[in-house]
Amino acid sequence: GIASAIASVVETIASAVMQITGMILKAAGVVSAVIAGLAIAAVKKAADVQVAYQELGRIASLAGQDVMKLRDAIIAVGTATPGTGSIKDLFELASFGARMGIGEGLEGSLKVKAIEAFTKSIARVRMALTDMPTEEAATYIVRILRVFGLGPEYIDNFASALVKLDNSSTATGRDILDLTRRLSGVLSTLGAMPSEVMGLAAAMRDAGVEVEVGGTAMSQLFIKTAYKTKDYAKALKIPFQELEHAINTKPIEALKMVLQAIGKFSPVDQLRVLSKMQLQGRQTSSVILQMANNWQMIDTFMAEGAEEWKSQNSLIEAANVRARQFYSILEQSTNKLTALAAKVGDMLMPAAIAL
């Protein structure tokens, strides 16, 4: 992380400064070389930033004052919140957003604001979600939101629900995103919300369902329940009208009704009823039986996801934790540099007196 990088840099600086100090005592000419080196490094850093924001302007199809506004906005993101990454990293993140179509169809200041908001949101995601590359997570999130007809302004809502479920379940953020992606096509069509699908995904992984087969099996169950509602209601002894109403209004509630009903049968009868429902494939039946015995977890994780979608507390807290870690390491690094300065002063004092 950036904080660890700071600590490493401080250690390197400390070592280098001690060596340079010794050389200064031997040859004053080294001072000018050091200053020249620092100047060159500063120029190179400025050039890197210049190239990064000009590339961003090209990708985002912005020019003139709009590029300058976006540049200043991205720099403000990096300076306002510690731990979001280097300015160059943020420009590259903004460029990634522009390549994904963020701000597409907008012009001028509206496009600038859209790309700025995306960069700020994904920078927070990077601080909170550490088990997968930032661009991969951003791609998942934006594409899933689009399936539900939602724009990038919902990234913070989505990410906060994801962080909460990542923390409260045995599922990783990557697992939840992958399984949510696989379930979203069917469930968005039936009217489910993203936080509900994420809650279902977390419950499935928490029950031990594999991502690759889980999405296919559960999507198949949803589709067949919607098309064979009367047959399934009869086989599972569920009132037909209740199941039909749930499918039309609350699809995941319908899923829970089906799973709960399957779970009430004896193990042998569970296999028989799945055969009647034409869900007897080995992988499909295994997933359904796993969830039939753990359907209560769906309620738990759906409630957590829905709450975080609204409050965004988990994303905020994760960012605060990273900021505290950043400041803690920065404080330690500052103290090391202060101690170093004292040592350098002790070494240089005799030479200064001699002058």
Side-chain angles (χ1 to χ4, degrees):
I2 188 170
S4 299
I6 288 176
S8 176
V9 168
V10 168
E11 294 292 345
T12 303
I13 290 174
S15 176
V17 169
M18 291 302 292
Q19 293 178 19
I20 290 171
T21 301
M23 295 173 66
I24 289 173
L25 294 175
K26 296 179 181 179
V30 172
V31 174
S32 60
V34 172
I35 293 174
L38 291 174
I40 291 171
V43 170
K44 184 179 183 303
K45 180 69 70 174
D48 287 343
V49 171
Q50 183 85 358
V51 169
Y53 92 76
Q54 287 180 348
E55 178 69 4
L56 170 58
R58 182 188 68 78
I59 294 171
S61 299
L62 291 171
Q65 289 300 312
D66 290 329
V67 176
M68 302 299 289
K69 288 178 183 178
L70 184 55
R71 182 201 65 178
D72 294 344
I74 299 303
I75 291 174
V77 172
T79 55
T81 307
T84 53
S86 69
I87 299 298
K88 183 173 179 290
D89 288 341
L90 291 173
F91 278 125
E92 291 174 352
L93 195 56
S95 296
F96 173 74
R99 286 195 298 272
M100 287 192 68
I102 302 301
E104 188 174 347
L106 301 176
E107 298 291 338
S109 60
L110 292 178
K111 178 177 282 191
V112 169
K113 289 180 180 178
I115 296 174
E116 176 193 359
F118 170 85
T119 306
K120 187 181 298 184
S121 293
I122 298 301
R124 283 197 289 262
V125 172
R126 175 164 54 192
M127 295 170 69
L129 194 66
T130 58
D131 71 332
M132 64 189 304
T134 304
E135 289 191 0
E136 183 182 354
T139 301
Y140 268 118
I141 292 172
V142 171
R143 287 179 178 174
I144 291 171
L145 286 172
R146 283 175 178 168
V147 170
F148 286 90
L150 300 174
E153 65 271 20
Y154 289 95
I155 289 175
D156 285 351
N157 307 78
F158 189 105
S160 193
L162 178 63
V163 171
K164 176 64 177 180
L165 294 170
D166 178 41
N167 292 335
S168 63
S169 72
T170 58
T172 65
R174 184 193 295 271
D175 288 342
I176 295 170
L177 281 173
D178 195 359
L179 194 44
T180 299
R181 176 183 63 83
R182 294 168 187 264
L183 293 167
S184 292
V186 172
L187 288 174
S188 63
T189 301
L190 292 173
M193 297 297 295
S195 61
E196 294 177 320
V197 182
M198 283 192 284
L200 174 60
M204 290 173 66
R205 285 298 293 136
D206 211 66
V209 174
E210 295 296 329
V211 171
E212 291 76 13
V213 298
T216 301
M218 208 55 61
S219 295
Q220 184 179 352
L221 178 58
F222 272 112
I223 293 171
K224 288 192 173 183
T225 301
Y227 279 101
K228 298 184 176 183
T229 309
K230 186 171 291 186
D231 293 338
Y232 277 21
K234 182 178 179 180
L236 298 172
K237 301 177 182 178
I238 301 173
F240 165 66
Q241 291 182 339
E242 287 185 21
L243 183 58
E244 184 179 46
H245 178 72
I247 290 172
N248 292 329
T249 58
K250 297 180 179 180
I252 297 185
E253 289 296 324
L255 172 69
K256 288 193 301 177
M257 290 172 64
V258 170
L259 293 174
Q260 186 178 7
I262 293 171
K264 291 178 179 179
F265 289 97
S266 68
V268 172
D269 286 338
Q270 285 180 348
L271 295 175
R272 288 173 179 163
V273 77
L274 288 180
S275 179
K276 288 182 181 180
M277 298 167 70
Q278 297 181 335
L279 295 167
Q280 66 270 32
R282 183 178 62 82
Q283 291 183 329
T284 298
S285 60
S286 176
V287 170
I288 293 172
L289 291 177
Q290 279 177 280
M291 293 311 299
N293 294 317
N294 294 281
W295 64 268
Q296 298 92 335
M297 291 192 299
I298 299 175
D299 275 335
T300 300
F301 293 128
M302 275 180 48
E304 290 181 354
E307 174 58 31
E308 284 302 320
W309 182 276
K310 294 178 182 177
S311 69
Q312 302 178 32
N313 286 335
S314 290
L315 187 62
I316 294 169
E317 179 55 28
N320 288 340
V321 168
R322 286 291 299 274
R324 287 194 293 269
Q325 292 173 343
F326 178 89
Y327 281 125
S328 176
I329 294 177
L330 185 61
E331 183 179 42
Q332 291 176 2
S333 301
T334 301
N335 290 340
K336 288 181 180 180
L337 288 175
T338 301
L340 173 64
K343 290 182 180 179
V344 172
D346 290 341
M347 296 174 66
L348 292 177
M349 187 60 70
I353 293 174
L355 294 174

